[in-house]
Amino acid sequence: MSGEEGARAASMEKIVALCKRRGYIFPGSEIYGGLANTWDFGPLGVELKNNVKQLWWKTFVHRRRDIVGLDAGILMHPRVWEASGHVVNFNDPLVDCKTCKSRFRADHLIEDKLGMQASGKTPDEMSAILREANMACPHCGNRTLTDARQFNMMFSTTIGPVSETGTKVFLRPETAQAMFVDYKSVVATSRVKLPFGIAQIGKAFRNEITPGNFIFRDIEFDQMEIEYFVKPDDGPRAFDEWLAAMKSWVKMIGLSEKYVRIREHEESELSHYSSRTLDFEYFFPGTLGWKELYGLASRTDFDLRQHQEFSGEDLRYFDQESGERFLPHVIEPTFGVERTILTVLIDAYDEEQTVDVNGKPDTRVLLRLSPKLAPYKAAILPLMKKPELTGPAWDLFNQIQDETGYQVDYDETANIGKRYRRQDEVGTPYCITIDPTTLEDGAVTIRDRDTTEQVRIPLGDVVPWLREHIG
Ligand code: ATP
């Protein structure tokens, strides 16, 4: 492991600790002993999450004339999941240990323990590989693993007061299907013309066999997805355009280029609906390594064709120019919110060796978050807790919120050094200090989180200064 990788491996644990300590992310249901692999976004986590979603919505819905939004129900008609192929195909290959009862994904065991590619292999093929390798249980070490069998990942529940007579429904495992199911209504009501997209942000649920690695693989998570409808011949061009748009997004949220790569799926690996898929992979610290961050898939007309057949509705698009009716093809860029947050935090985490006021070695922990995503854009810090300073500090706090809509923190407790460190640790890009001189010269000090450099500017210039630096 190189020095840098070592630092990144350590940083995963440190990030989990920081997230808990500073109110970003808490383990779910903690006072009841926790519910494994569920997470709650705390006061700062919810701000970061909202900022990610809002930036995405602004970028891909508001700023584009060719994409409209949707917010559909989590529960959908059970036939939706038959038509989409999820009832039959949304399976993971599961292996049990007969001794300790632990469960594993067969494909993960093959990839992680044997270094072989497993995607596209059938459960029988995977079982044969595991038997051949005489694979031991990673948990207890006994060689008592079962053969691989398919396990459907959809959570189900019942609508109706009595489970025996109620209707079995599924919690959606992806947001995508609603865009196909509502496609006809959107075309009829929104004046959209090909090519156009429908975007949605919302919860998805998957009964993952091996959730974990903090918020990397959850059983409940948020997706930001677009189904982009095109004329059948336009698929390849639209695919390339979306590849470029996704690369711009990755840059916009500030991820280091060297930790992101694009991997093309091999033919045997493609999902049942896809003719071409690319994964945006991120190099996660520790044992995770390169793993999927986002996906870009060409879904052809698979979904609309299936829903047309299962619902009996004509879902063909009428092209006024040519007078033809046809099923559009679909390009799907998909983005996980939790994986965005995790990668943004990993990339932002940094430690700097400094000396404290007494000259002793000290470590400054900071999150170099993009100002666009940081929960607080600025913190207002009166140097002392005296009304002549706290009064103007609150005035500035209110002025910034009113005029920019930026979320701003206010802190008058502890010495100024401690308050700076607190803000560094949660990623606040700018600290604005009001001191006794402010009352004389009407100026404030703005400290930069990344460089710790300070500038002094007139109070009246603070709002334009922030606008210029945050955007
Ligand atoms: P993986 O190969 O990691 O299981 P996937 O190929 O099943 O992922 P998709 O079905 O393409 O993932 O889902 C789209 C996006 O949703 C992913 O790129 C990822 O960002 C996110 N995602 C998928 N599963 C999870 C999960 N269990 N927890 C958190 N995010 C997820």
Side-chain angles (χ1 to χ4, degrees), residues 90 92 105 108 153 173-174 206 208 211 215-225 265 271 273 279-280 291-295 332 334-340:
F90 199 56
D92 269 347
R105 264 176 68 168
H108 287 177
M153 292 164 67
E174 61 176 30
R206 295 184 185 181
E208 297 272 6
I215 55 169
F216 173 77
R217 191 177 296 285
D218 309 294
I219 50 178
E220 172 186 341
F221 55 98
D222 281 88
Q223 288 184 318
M224 307 183 284
E225 294 195 300
H265 279 210
S271 310
Y273 53 76
D279 282 350
F280 276 68
K291 283 280 177 309
E292 177 176 337
L293 168 62
Y294 302 141
E332 176 194 71
T334 172
F335 306 71
V337 176
E338 279 72 6
R339 288 190 193 175
T340 305

